[in-house]
Amino acid sequence: MPADHPYFAGRRGVVAAAAELLAGDRRTTALAIDGMPGVGKTTLAVHLAHLLAGRYPDGQLHADLRGFDSGGAVMTPTEALRGFLWSLGVAPAAIPAELHGQAGLYRSLLAERRMLILLDNCRDWDQVRHLLPGTGGSLVIATSRRRITGAGGPAGAHPLHLDPLTDVEARELLTRWLGDAAAADPASVDEIIARCGGLPLALALVATRTLGRPGLSLPAVAGELAAADGRLAGFGDAHADLETAFSWSYRALTPEAARLFRLLPLHPTGELSTETAAALGGLPLRVARGLLAELGAQLLIQPGDGRWRMHDLLRAYAADLGEEHDDPAQRAAAVARVHEVLAWTGGTDSPMARRIRDRLRGHR
């Protein structure tokens, strides 16, 4: 099992929920952690694995399934099973060649054991279904940018969805990274938290980059983030690392969903309805609803009331992609369509409509 993160912070509610699910004689066989890129799924999964390891005395198995690897090196179930069987003491020559034979031997070996199995970075249900114990007292902790439970998921699996850190949790994380400097300058810490939107990866990247630049004050860090207009461009490798994490999810989208993702930042407010998303894309409402569901699995937040929201850092990333890949005339047409919809729903003199008109002028 990987080492627990030395600066792990927050997530007390999720950790408590996991402990409650596993208490007593409940038949929980898997915890499926999902959330947007950079939200800390792997960090939480490893932390939970270390907390729970004592309940599973027969050992642990771990695999990074590379479900969203940009190089196409997604781990196959056969590759994962061969590694697990070898770890369980099966000689390579005794491992069946066929997938179902490997899965059957794997489940037989686990049937009388209590083991903890961490499956990190899963792409979908098909990638993990052969890696689940059939019977016995083992536990699987799986992470994915998509929800892999439900009708097609494993029986006994419970979803644990991760949102960005609260301000209190983010402050705790930065204080653990930066120590007295963070405690002495709460205003700059609050600005950094706001610019990073509570995203653990962004906070960690900013913290490590700050520690690597001796003499850099926290007000200067906050100023660089403010000047970057929703990006980490002033932080060199940090900016590249964050965009890499986002790109893994973006490249897994269908072309239609990717196009809508690039158009969403043209909406002038933080939240939008399915109707306005359909107007942006020039799509039938039914089609837009399906594409939003695809995006919502890993790149959007649903605050409720049928509306959708994009994290500020993802919004900046999508805006850059749109400017790079989409024709300016098509982007202007998308803004015009939203203006037309909002004129019908809120009136042409509503604050929303006025902001749409201002955005439209910028694309002429």
Side-chain angles (χ1 to χ4, degrees):
M1 199 67 63
D4 199 1
H5 198 292
Y7 299 125
F8 183 87
R11 305 301 190 196
R12 292 178 180 82
V14 179
V15 171
E20 182 179 355
L21 286 169
L22 298 171
D25 61 352
R26 298 191 182 190
R27 298 298 297 169
T28 298
T29 61
L31 301 174
I33 302 169
D34 69 271
M36 66 177 285
V39 82
K41 300 179 292 295
T42 297
T43 300
L44 173 64
V46 171
H47 184 70
L48 280 175
H50 282 272
L51 289 177
L52 299 171
R55 301 188 186 191
Y56 303 93
D58 295 319
Q60 302 96 38
L61 297 170
H62 165 255
D64 178 0
L65 300 182
R66 305 188 299 268
F68 295 88
D69 190 281
S70 60
V74 177
M75 183 179 288
T76 65
T78 293
E79 184 182 355
L81 282 169
R82 283 186 173 277
F84 284 169
L85 289 170
W86 181 82
S87 297
L88 291 167
V90 180
I95 296 176
E98 193 260 344
L99 174 60
H100 289 283
Q102 295 168 0
L105 177 58
Y106 169 70
R107 289 174 178 143
S108 295
L109 292 171
L110 291 182
E112 302 301 325
R113 307 188 192 196
R114 289 181 57 82
M115 299 190 69
L116 193 151
I117 302 149
L118 175 54
L119 304 175
D120 193 23
N121 200 13
C122 307
R123 188 176 185 89
D124 52 32
W125 165 236
D126 285 337
Q127 191 187 24
V128 301
R129 61 192 180 96
H130 294 289
L131 309 180
L132 304 177
T135 58
S138 295
L139 173 71
V140 172
I141 301 177
T143 74
S144 180
R145 300 183 183 197
R146 300 168 174 169
R147 179 159 291 190
I148 55 174
T149 58
H158 291 268
L160 295 174
H161 178 73
L162 287 193
D163 289 317
L165 296 172
T166 66
D167 287 351
V168 172
E169 292 174 324
R171 193 173 296 110
E172 179 185 354
L173 178 62
L174 281 180
T175 300
R176 292 194 178 187
W177 274 100
L178 302 175
D180 293 340
D185 193 351
S188 294
V189 168
D190 287 345
E191 177 71 12
I192 292 170
I193 291 170
R195 295 293 175 180
C196 292
L199 199 64
L201 177 59
L203 291 164
L205 291 172
V206 169
T208 54
R209 185 67 172 166
T210 302
L211 291 171
R213 299 164 70 185
L216 184 66
S217 68
L218 284 186
V221 173
E224 287 185 2
L225 289 172
D229 189 26
R231 297 158 176 84
L232 296 183
F235 288 79
D237 293 342
H239 177 60
D241 289 346
L242 191 67
E243 289 210 340
T244 297
F246 292 163
S247 72
W248 292 339
S249 287
Y250 173 73
R251 290 170 181 167
L253 297 173
T254 61
E256 296 80 8
R259 173 181 172 271
L260 182 59
F261 176 71
R262 298 193 303 268
L263 290 174
L264 291 181
L266 296 175
H267 194 276
T269 66
E271 293 185 8
L272 74 163
S273 66
T274 303
E275 290 77 11
T276 51
L280 273 173
L283 301 166
L285 192 59
R286 173 183 56 81
V287 174
R289 190 176 291 115
L291 295 179
L292 287 169
E294 181 181 347
L295 293 172
Q298 51 188 318
L299 293 169
L300 296 179
I301 300 168
Q302 240 184 322
D305 299 327
R307 302 185 71 81
W308 301 86
R309 180 167 63 84
M310 185 181 288
H311 191 281
D312 288 345
L313 291 171
L314 271 170
R315 186 182 180 93
Y317 172 68
D320 288 344
L321 288 173
E323 291 172 3
E324 179 181 355
H325 295 291
D326 295 330
D327 181 77
Q330 294 177 353
R331 288 162 58 81
V335 176
R337 287 192 298 269
V338 172
H339 176 242
E340 184 177 355
V341 167
L342 293 174
W344 279 99
T345 58
T348 56
D349 291 327
S350 69
M352 175 74 77
R354 289 196 293 272
R355 286 197 292 272
I356 286 287
R357 282 198 296 273
D358 291 341
R359 179 68 65 90
L360 180 60
R361 293 189 190 103
H363 285 277
R364 283 176 174 166

